[in-house]
């Protein structure tokens, strides 16, 4: 296929999917799914498990809620510690440029860094600088940083992660009664911090602490185009003006500006997801499945 053929195929697939999604959820989108203007004073709180998840899979939903007049609060759940990323940033030339399907490096292939490889020093602050730049692009009303260590490796650490998230979400729910809460669909995203977030939501829904709850399938973009909506209850078709803003938030993760503590870490961490989201004007919103199971997914 030529590039043009691929684009036409993508457009026709998109048209078909959009039409299907509209048929399936037309009534629901008028009632359940559209952010309620009557709840104008109640914030919509979005929980991004890591720096970059809000740009990949929450941005369109954030902008939808802002456009409906809702205050939007964006929570960074974990600190995003990542030893592998530190090692990748220290390598010369940049490993991205040598992958089987290489990605361009915003630094031109040479980073000139010798960061500590504990994964916390440098990485946490620099990832958070990207997150703040992204939050600014999205125009959220408040950023809240839970600063929970991103450690869910062992079952004990995973349980600790869930209970730390649960405690902090509960406290926000008490502070902002009537808020809606938007998490990652951890049972689909399948990484510890994402699953721990939906486990926390499940616990708080069961004890009645939170009730207006949705989940975005943030990692949908690595799947083929026509499989990305699998498991979603609602496909948000992001309007062009919002997509332009979402892309600006994605660019915060591909900006090399060391003087501002920006090192394109997002694009050195999950370039395929960011690229996928950049090219797809959809987000995938879920409700908790009836057979939801608590616990770490390996
Ligand atoms: Zn994540
Ligand atoms: Zn690089």
């Amino acid at each position: 296929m030529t590039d043009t053929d691929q684009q036409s195929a993508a457009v026709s697939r998109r048209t078909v999917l959009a039409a299907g999604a509209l048929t399936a959820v037309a009534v629901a989108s008028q009632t359940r799914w559209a952010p309620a203007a009557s709840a104008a004073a109640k914030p919509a709180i979005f929980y991004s498990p890591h720096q970059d998840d809000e740009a990949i899979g929450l941005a369109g939903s954030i902008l939808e809620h802002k456009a409906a007049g809702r205050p939007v609060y964006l929570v960074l759940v974990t600190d995003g510690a990542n030893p592998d990323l530190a090692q990748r940033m220290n390598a010369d030339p940049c490993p991205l440029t040598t992958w089987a399907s290489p990605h361009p490096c915003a630094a031109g292939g040479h980073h000139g860094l010798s960061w500590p490889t504990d994964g916390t020093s440098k990485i946490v602050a620099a990832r958070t600088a990207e997150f703040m730049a992204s939050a600014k692009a999205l125009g959220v009303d408040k950023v809240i940083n839970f600063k929970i260590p991103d450690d869910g490796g062992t079952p004990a650490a995973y349980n600790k992660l869930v209970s730390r998230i649960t405690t902090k979400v509960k406290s926000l729910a008490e502070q902002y009664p009537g808020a809606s809460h938007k998490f990652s669909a951890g049972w689909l995203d399948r990484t510890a911090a994402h699953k721990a977030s939906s486990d926390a939501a499940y616990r708080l829904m069961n004890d009645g602490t939170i009730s207006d709850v949705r989940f975005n399938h943030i990692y949908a973009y690595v799947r083929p185009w026509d499989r990305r909506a699998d498991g979603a209850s609602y496909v948000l078709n992001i309007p062009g003006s919002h997509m332009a803003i979402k892309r600006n938030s994605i660019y915060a993760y591909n900006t090399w500006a060391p003087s501002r503590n920006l090192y394109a870490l997002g694009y050195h961490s999950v370039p395929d997801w960011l690229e996928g989201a950049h090219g797809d004007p959809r987000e995938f919103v879920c409700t908790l499945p009836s057979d939801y199971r608590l616990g770490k997914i390996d």
Side-chain angles (χ1 to χ4, degrees), residues 6-277:
Q6 282 176 340
Q7 278 163 9
S8 325
V11 167
S12 62
R13 275 197 301 275
R14 186 180 316 167
T15 309
V16 168
L17 270 177
L22 277 176
T23 309
V25 300
V27 177
S29 69
Q30 293 298 315
T31 54
R32 269 185 326 122
W33 291 105
S38 60
K42 312 290 188 195
I45 307 177
F46 287 80
Y47 298 88
S48 184
H50 302 107
Q51 302 92 334
D52 66 32
D53 291 313
E54 83 297 343
I56 296 168
L58 299 171
S61 303
I62 285 171
L63 295 165
E64 180 195 30
H65 283 74
K66 280 189 63 70
R70 298 285 296 278
V72 169
Y73 301 166
L74 176 60
V75 175
L76 175 56
V77 175
T78 72
D79 63 5
N82 189 329
D84 294 343
L85 183 54
Q87 285 183 6
R88 192 175 292 174
M89 295 310 292
N90 286 344
D92 191 3
C94 170
L96 291 194
T97 63
T98 62
W99 284 2
S101 49
H103 284 274
C105 169
H110 302 281
H111 306 156
L113 301 174
S114 48
W115 284 354
T117 50
D118 56 18
T120 303
S121 327
K122 293 289 183 188
I123 288 288
V124 168
R127 290 190 78 183
T128 305
E130 293 176 3
F131 180 81
M132 294 306 293
S134 161
K136 188 175 176 189
L138 294 172
V140 300
D141 298 284
K142 193 192 287 273
V143 173
I144 297 162
N145 191 343
F146 281 177
K147 297 185 177 175
I148 296 173
D150 187 12
D151 175 15
T154 64
Y158 180 81
N159 290 338
K160 197 166 182 178
L161 182 57
V162 174
S163 64
R164 282 175 164 155
I165 298 171
T166 305
T167 302
K168 292 200 179 253
V169 173
K170 184 170 194 208
S171 142
L172 276 188
E174 286 162 0
Q175 195 178 350
Y176 303 107
S180 55
H181 298 263
K182 323 287 185 181
F183 297 90
S184 49
W187 66 95
L188 298 172
D189 290 349
R190 303 181 71 82
T191 64
H194 291 236
K195 181 61 165 51
S197 297
S198 52
D199 279 9
Y202 179 86
R203 289 165 61 167
L204 293 168
M205 288 167 81
N206 271 352
D207 74 10
T209 304
I210 56 176
S211 55
D212 184 357
V213 185
R214 297 286 182 269
F215 301 84
N216 279 35
H217 181 13
I218 294 169
Y219 290 169
Y221 303 96
V222 281
R223 297 212 298 240
W225 186 283
D226 56 2
R227 296 277 321 280
R228 292 178 184 173
D230 290 2
S233 308
Y234 168 61
V235 176
L236 171 65
N237 291 296
I238 305 171
S241 59
H242 289 183
M243 198 60 200
I245 299 171
K246 173 167 176 166
R247 287 184 175 135
N248 285 336
S249 101
I250 289 173
Y251 299 147
Y253 293 95
N254 199 25
T255 299
W256 188 269
S259 66
R260 293 158 55 205
N261 211 14
L262 298 176
Y263 293 91
L265 293 181
Y267 261 74
H268 286 80
S269 171
V270 287
D272 294 326
W273 288 323
L274 286 155
E275 287 284 308

